[in-house]
Amino acid sequence: MVRFVDQMGGTPVDQSGAGKTAGVVARVRAMVQDGTLGAGDALPSTRALAAELGVARGTVVAAYEQLDGEGWIRTRQGAAARVAPGVPRTATLGASAPRATPSPARDTSSAAPVLDARPGIPAVTAIATRDWRAAWRAAADAPLRNALSDPAGLLELRAQIVAQLGLSRGFAPDVSRVLVTGGTSEALSLVVEALRNHLGRTPRIAVEDPGYRSGRRAMTSAGAELVGVPVDDGGLDVDALRALPPVDAVVVTPTHQYPLGSVMPVARRQRLLSWATDTATIVVEDDYDSEFRHRGSPVPALAALDTAGVVLHVGGFSKTLDPRLRCSYVVLPPGAVPDAVAAARVARGPVVAEPVQVALAHLLRTGALRRHLGRVRRDYTHRRELIASRLDGVPGLEARALNGGLHAVVTWSGPATARAVVARTARAGVLVSALAEYEVVPGSAPDGVVLGYGGLTLPDLDRALDAFLGALHRG
């Protein structure tokens, strides 16, 4: 095992407050950069390193947590911390060392692998391997049955969802009002089908502009007519919604508006619910990214404020675990339209494989999902801080959506078009999305890009920002 004191010439760690943690962090970074520690090498235990350096164990725990969040090392409960794979010896120092805008001449392409920095990809590999495997062993151990799955979803999973909502979102519905769906898009298509069956005509649905494009495609494919409503710093503009001709439903992302990232204040939520109650309009709450709030206090879910039974609450596991699981859920209030949604779900038959549901129920029941969320929240906070430090002070740039979630929206003033910047960034080996891709009405969004950071390590995120800034300034 490498002795840190020997490698650093016996220099003691700074004993002043936060300097202790920063000193340990700096040592590990330096030893990775100079090749003393390579990918996969084990680090001392927190207890052993604390004794070696003469600091409290909590100091080393905090340092390892920061290094893990920055992507330098990987920690696992019950196993040695190890240097993360793919960390180059020349890696930058992360969020604590902001740098100037790179020169346009800097080469970020050539043999470097393509980085997918588009939104929607979480840190899938961050979950503890032990917890992940245990969940799938539970699925494999479930008894075989000569029966079809319940179209509403596995009862155990729905019960665990109710418990999770009670802890994290402030309401605990009856388990009979929870439906398991094949992703958010299927949930939205079920709402359209239910409205069409209930009304006997094409439903008219208000959506955020810009907003969730995959959801819009699902609703138009199911036969809905969509109308865009502008958003501002408080989310969907309720005054603009009120000014529209009557609609049958409105779909909102109040906790973290997608993609602009605004949070709907409680007062506006109450106005939206009051309007929906008065007009008998269904509100579909897509509780997007509610688990990842980096700044400020969590805002209660719309469903937790709903006393009139107008809110259909949609949540899922795509951003907390893995989008390939294709598993979401809808919480239904009492009423004719919600009952029609339940009928449509039953008519379609089971959609999410039962082993997937068993595995998810296990992750919820054992607390593995809660532990995973605590870990990735820390990681995402470090990545958010890196983006803020790299873009802060760059003339003409504005970064938003950084208070929560897994992506940033960057807009700018100047001649460069988003289409050109996205293309040049792709040629540098980094994929980002243009903000215009999320518009309902063409031209309603400013020039900008949406950059996802959920699945990137800090060195990868540094490279993505280099590519983006280089592409922007080459315009």
Side-chain angles (χ1 to χ4, degrees):
M1 183 73 70
V2 174
R3 281 183 55 81
F4 278 41
V5 173
D6 293 344
Q7 290 296 324
M8 303 303 289
T11 305
V13 170
D14 178 2
Q15 296 297 307
S16 60
K20 299 178 184 180
T21 298
V24 177
V25 169
R27 289 185 179 200
V28 176
R29 287 173 176 162
M31 292 170 71
V32 173
Q33 288 185 296
D34 67 16
T36 303
L37 290 171
D41 284 351
L43 276 68
S45 70
T46 55
R47 194 179 305 279
L49 185 55
E52 184 178 344
L53 297 177
V55 299
R57 180 170 176 252
T59 296
V60 180
V61 171
Y64 277 17
E65 286 181 352
Q66 180 174 338
L67 289 160
D68 192 328
E70 292 180 355
W72 291 90
I73 67 174
R74 293 286 86 178
T75 59
R76 291 286 185 269
Q77 187 175 5
R82 295 182 181 276
V83 178
V87 178
R89 292 184 181 180
T90 56
T92 59
L93 295 186
S96 61
R99 301 176 304 169
T101 300
S103 163
R106 180 170 176 169
D107 182 12
T108 57
S109 55
S110 67
V114 172
L115 296 179
D116 195 341
R118 293 172 295 186
I121 303 173
V124 172
T125 59
I127 190 168
T129 302
R130 180 176 63 181
D131 288 338
W132 184 247
R133 289 177 175 171
W136 292 101
R137 281 197 298 271
D141 289 343
L144 297 174
R145 298 183 299 123
N146 294 325
L148 296 175
S149 299
D150 186 341
L154 189 69
L155 181 59
E156 182 187 5
L157 175 57
R158 291 187 283 143
Q160 291 300 325
I161 289 169
V162 168
Q164 180 70 13
L165 289 171
L167 290 171
S168 64
R169 302 306 290 134
F171 73 108
D174 188 277
V175 70
S176 66
R177 307 306 296 177
V178 178
L179 301 177
V180 174
T181 68
T184 301
S185 292
E186 202 238 351
L188 295 175
S189 71
L190 281 171
V191 172
V192 174
E193 182 178 336
L195 284 168
R196 196 177 64 237
N197 292 340
H198 177 70
L199 299 171
R201 58 171 172 80
T202 297
R204 193 165 183 267
I205 299 178
V207 295
E208 297 167 332
D209 185 14
Y212 179 38
R213 54 182 177 174
S214 296
R216 294 202 306 270
R217 285 195 291 265
M219 288 187 286
T220 54
S221 295
E225 174 191 348
L226 305 184
V227 55
V229 181
V231 297
D232 57 24
D233 290 340
L236 181 132
D237 186 336
V238 175
D239 290 331
L241 177 64
R242 287 173 176 269
L244 290 175
V247 295
D248 302 301
V250 55
V251 180
V252 293
T253 52
T255 301
H256 188 239
Q257 198 279 327
Y258 188 75
L260 296 182
S262 52
V263 178
M264 185 179 286
V266 171
R268 187 177 293 196
R269 293 175 185 232
Q270 295 283 18
R271 290 182 59 220
L272 174 61
L273 293 175
S274 177
W275 167 84
T277 301
D278 292 344
T279 58
T281 305
I282 292 294
V283 178
V284 181
E285 176 184 27
D286 180 357
D287 204 31
Y288 174 77
D289 273 351
S290 66
E291 299 86 359
F292 305 119
R293 181 90 174 127
H294 308 318
R295 254 192 212 164
S297 300
V299 180
L302 275 178
L305 302 173
D306 178 26
T307 58
V310 294
V311 175
L312 276 66
H313 180 92
V314 180
F317 303 96
S318 290
K319 301 302 181 292
T320 54
L321 283 169
D322 191 332
R324 292 169 297 186
L325 293 172
R326 302 306 303 157
C327 187
S328 295
Y329 55 86
V330 183
V331 180
L332 305 174
V337 172
D339 288 348
V341 173
R345 167 71 276 151
V346 171
R348 292 187 182 190
V351 66
V352 179
E354 195 164 302
V356 172
Q357 297 187 58
V358 172
L360 288 171
H362 178 90
L363 291 170
L364 286 164
R365 185 182 66 255
T366 60
L369 179 59
R370 185 176 64 254
R371 294 191 295 272
H372 171 66
L373 289 176
R375 176 196 186 91
V376 294
R377 282 192 194 103
R378 188 175 65 243
D379 290 359
Y380 296 150
T381 297
H382 287 300
R383 293 168 203 178
R384 172 208 166 275
E385 290 171 350
L386 175 59
I387 294 172
S389 69
R390 291 292 309 275
L391 301 185
D392 184 43
V394 178
L397 279 189
E398 180 184 359
R400 60 175 83 179
L402 288 174
N403 287 337
L406 311 180
H407 73 269
V409 173
V410 187
T411 57
W412 58 86
S413 57
T417 66
R419 177 178 294 181
V421 170
V422 168
R424 285 195 290 266
T425 304
R427 286 197 291 272
V430 178
L431 305 180
V432 296
S433 297
L435 183 55
E437 296 176 22
Y438 302 87
E439 296 172 331
V440 177
V441 177
S444 60
D447 266 318
V449 301
V450 184
L451 187 152
Y453 56 82
L456 301 180
T457 64
L458 254 73
D460 283 345
L461 181 55
D462 242 344
R463 180 187 151 204
L465 291 168
D466 283 342
F468 163 67
L469 290 171
L472 180 63
H473 289 281
R474 277 196 293 271

